[in-house]
Amino acid sequence: MEDFDWTSFTKKIAIKANRSDIYNAWTIANELDKWFLEKVSFFDANQEPISKGKNVSEGNTYEWLWHLYKDGMNGKITSANGEDYLQFTFEGNCLVDIKLSETNGYTIVELHQHNIPTDDNSKKFIRLGCSNGWHFYLTNLKSVYEGGLDLRNKDENLDPMINN
């Protein structure tokens, strides 16, 4: 495990959907809650709420809450070009880059999470935990935008599973 990169990882998935729809899936609160989160709130520089139907932009902040988890996450949109690139803070000072490209009728989503600390807790919960989490949520993004089926477990009577 000496040569294992604990500081970053990359995930890619091809989705049969328009690039603009997938960009909106990441940058509009009403779209993020379809495949990723239970509650999405974005705020402008004055900490005023941004409309649930409006794209976020650089400098906006967020509060996110997942289904079946009580602890939310706060972060900042560090870059958003309105077309094919988004970067946001995640799990503290980590960064997540979302790059979108088009190939043969697919939108390719490339997610790169980096700047991960190398203490044991971060290795376990951020590097390994987030990698597994993003694997599921990118699969759910594909499922929702290609066929409409949300794969998330939202039943609080069930123990945590791979789909929550």
Side-chain angles (χ1 to χ4, degrees), residues 1 13 24 34 40 61 67 83 90 95 100 112 117 121 126-127 129 139 143 147 150 152 158 163:
M1 299 291 284
I13 194 164
N24 290 340
K34 290 180 182 178
V40 181
T61 58
H67 286 279
E83 292 181 26
F90 195 75
L95 294 170
L100 306 177
H112 181 66
N121 191 58
I126 299 176
R127 172 57 178 89
T139 301
S143 182
D150 183 355
R152 294 175 292 177
L158 298 174
N163 61 335

Side-chain angles (χ1 to χ4, degrees), residues 5 7 12 29 37 39 51 59 63-64 66-67 69 84 91 100 104 106 108 113 121 124 130 137-138 156:
D5 184 359
T7 65
K12 288 173 74 171
L37 300 158
K39 184 178 179 196
S51 166
E63 291 178 5
W64 290 348
W66 283 263
H67 286 279
Y69 291 95
D84 60 6
E91 289 291 348
L100 306 177
N104 298 327
Y106 290 91
I108 308 300
Q113 185 167 334
N121 191 58
K124 180 178 179 182
C130 288
Y137 284 108
L138 290 174
E156 61 190 36

Side-chain angles (χ1 to χ4, degrees), residues 25-36:
W26 287 95
T27 61
I28 296 176
N30 284 341
E31 297 299 314
L32 269 166
D33 66 11
K34 290 180 182 178
W35 64 275
F36 187 36

Side-chain angles (χ1 to χ4, degrees), residues 25-160:
W26 287 95
T27 61
I28 296 176
N30 284 341
E31 297 299 314
L32 269 166
D33 66 11
K34 290 180 182 178
W35 64 275
F36 187 36
L37 300 158
E38 177 180 9
K39 184 178 179 196
V40 181
S41 299
F42 287 112
F43 304 93
D44 65 19
N46 297 318
Q47 292 304 300
E48 294 295 323
I50 295 171
S51 166
K52 300 276 187 188
K54 182 180 175 190
N55 292 89
V56 296
S57 57
E58 184 175 327
N60 294 156
T61 58
Y62 67 79
E63 291 178 5
W64 290 348
L65 183 66
W66 283 263
H67 286 279
L68 307 181
Y69 291 95
K70 294 179 181 168
D71 295 329
M73 184 179 299
N74 297 323
K76 184 175 183 175
I77 307 302
T78 56
S79 184
N81 72 2
E83 292 181 26
D84 60 6
Y85 182 75
L86 173 73
Q87 183 185 71
F88 53 92
T89 62
F90 195 75
E91 289 291 348
N93 292 324
C94 297
L95 294 170
V96 174
D97 300 341
I98 305 298
K99 296 178 185 176
L100 306 177
S101 59
E102 296 173 310
T103 302
N104 298 327
Y106 290 91
T107 295
I108 308 300
V109 178
E110 181 177 328
L111 179 147
H112 181 66
Q113 185 167 334
H114 53 106
N115 204 33
I116 300 170
T118 55
D119 60 278
D120 286 345
N121 191 58
S122 296
K123 287 178 178 179
K124 180 178 179 182
F125 292 106
I126 299 176
R127 172 57 178 89
L128 299 177
C130 288
S131 179
N132 287 335
W134 284 122
H135 185 101
F136 168 72
Y137 284 108
L138 290 174
T139 301
N140 199 45
L141 174 65
K142 178 179 179 73
S143 182
V144 167
Y145 280 85
E146 285 188 1
L149 183 61
D150 183 355
L151 304 172
R152 294 175 292 177
N153 170 40
K154 299 175 187 175
D155 188 337
E156 61 190 36
N157 296 310
L158 298 174
D159 291 332

